[in-house]
Amino acid sequence: MSPTPTPAPQPVSPAPRLGYGTNGLTDLRLDDALALLADLGYDGVGLTLDHMHLDPLAPDLAARTARVARRLDTLGLGVTVETGARYVLDPRRKHGPSLLDPDPDARATRTGLLLRAVRVAADLGAHAVHCFSGVDPQPAHPDDAWKRLAEALTPVLEAATAARVPLAVEPEPGHLLATLDDFHHLRRLLGDPDPALLGLTLDIGHCQCLEAQAPADCVRAAAPWLHHVQIEDMRRGVHEHLPLGEGEIDFPPVLAALAELTAAGYPGLTVVELPRHSHDGPELARTSLSFLRDRLTPGEAPC
């Protein structure tokens, strides 16, 4: 009797490359935060430019960026540059001024911040620069707001294209650009740029909060434009970033969809986004990584 053939080993799908956002580690110095994430085993970091972490408005930005680039390289961490700091431009207005501000000088201030972020991202070798639209201050006139958004982003997109750093726009609940459909509206207004130049930051919690599709289906629908992914737990209809396991998201299908994305060549990060939990940031960084790794489906081994 001939021996029973040994089954061929099944290919192992690459797991998503996991990171943690520095906006959830604001009680730590940046160098300490980066060391913590590397020690825990993260693949990268979502670096929010803010007064406590690589302040984009302080002197000697290029020299400070070069030091961070060397530190990231030493630690083996990838990076995406995020621009969602609450009060980095205006100490009295959260996320103000925005790209939608009726005052052209105010809009230019936000555009200027994004242009600095593009330079920082290029110097860091970042996967992408993240941004969002902001809240429409004149909701009775949405066409005007969309026009302001497109005009304010045009020089940023031009700079990002020249620097070869993708621009990744995030749909944000409550903002003018709140959904995946809204992103495609902006893309059309900007003349349908190459997805390699203008793409998406997809927040998995935001998908749970307000998209019609399930989060895993949002990942697949957004795949051609994805340059950055944020992840946390959330409940339907409530925009509150929750630690993983405290909301309503079914994570194994989401992680499977992200593994498909990685296998198809997505080079970016999936970054835990808990900006209101810095008081417990080091512990949540540890437990979040364990939570996600425990829910990787069989055959999706950490890289």
Side-chain angles (χ1 to χ4, degrees):
M1 180 180 296
S2 58
T4 302
T6 303
Q10 295 299 307
V12 176
S13 299
R17 298 179 66 245
L18 300 176
Y20 200 91
T22 59
N23 60 359
L25 296 169
T26 57
D27 291 330
L28 277 67
R29 298 177 183 86
L30 179 57
D31 193 62
D32 291 338
L34 298 178
L36 169 74
L37 299 181
D39 288 346
L40 289 172
Y42 279 96
D43 303 296
V45 59
L47 174 57
T48 295
L49 304 182
D50 207 347
H51 64 88
M52 78 296 289
H53 290 157
L54 195 53
D55 186 343
L57 304 182
D60 301 321
L61 179 58
R64 290 183 289 113
T65 301
R67 287 195 292 273
V68 173
R70 291 192 293 270
R71 185 64 171 153
L72 289 167
D73 184 63
T74 297
L75 295 171
L77 293 173
V79 61
T80 297
V81 170
E82 301 192 355
T83 60
R86 294 185 183 95
Y87 297 100
V88 68
L89 292 177
D90 188 330
R92 294 172 177 82
R93 284 194 298 161
K94 180 182 176 183
H95 296 148
S98 80
L99 297 169
L100 306 177
D101 201 298
D103 179 353
D105 290 338
R107 292 197 302 277
T109 299
R110 176 61 62 172
T111 296
L113 174 68
L114 297 181
L115 292 172
R116 283 176 176 249
V118 168
R119 292 196 294 272
V120 169
D123 289 346
L124 292 179
H127 301 297
V129 175
H130 148 280
C131 67
F132 46 56
S133 70
V135 175
D136 184 358
Q138 298 174 322
H141 303 282
D143 289 345
D144 291 342
W146 281 108
K147 181 180 178 181
R148 289 195 296 269
L149 177 60
E151 289 176 351
L153 274 181
T154 294
V156 182
L157 180 58
E158 291 172 350
T161 300
R164 299 183 180 180
V165 177
L167 189 63
V169 182
E170 180 186 7
E172 182 84 18
H175 285 208
L176 177 70
L177 197 158
T179 66
L180 291 174
D181 286 345
D182 292 335
F183 165 74
H184 291 299
H185 180 61
L186 173 66
R187 183 173 57 80
R188 290 188 291 270
L189 287 176
L190 291 170
D192 195 15
D194 188 329
L197 306 175
L198 177 70
L200 275 163
T201 292
L202 186 71
D203 188 301
I204 300 301
H206 296 173
C207 297
Q208 176 69 24
C209 180
L210 54 73
E211 294 284 355
Q213 300 181 85
D217 294 330
C218 288
V219 173
R220 296 185 177 98
W225 296 275
L226 272 185
H227 290 292
H228 187 45
V229 178
Q230 297 171 342
I231 194 166
E232 70 284 318
D233 218 336
M234 205 167 286
R235 300 186 180 95
R236 185 70 179 170
V238 181
H239 184 203
E240 181 184 4
H241 290 234
L242 300 172
L244 304 175
E246 295 187 11
E248 299 172 344
I249 294 177
D250 184 10
F251 281 97
V254 172
L255 292 169
L258 290 171
E260 293 171 14
L261 185 72
T262 303
Y266 169 67
L269 296 167
T270 296
V271 169
V272 178
E273 181 81 356
L274 292 173
R276 297 186 182 275
H277 291 77
S278 284
H279 62 281
D280 199 23
E283 177 62 11
L284 279 170
R286 184 188 68 80
T287 58
S288 296
L289 187 61
S290 295
F291 181 99
L292 292 171
R293 284 180 168 172
D294 287 348
R295 284 154 182 79
L296 291 169
T297 56
E300 293 168 2
C303 298

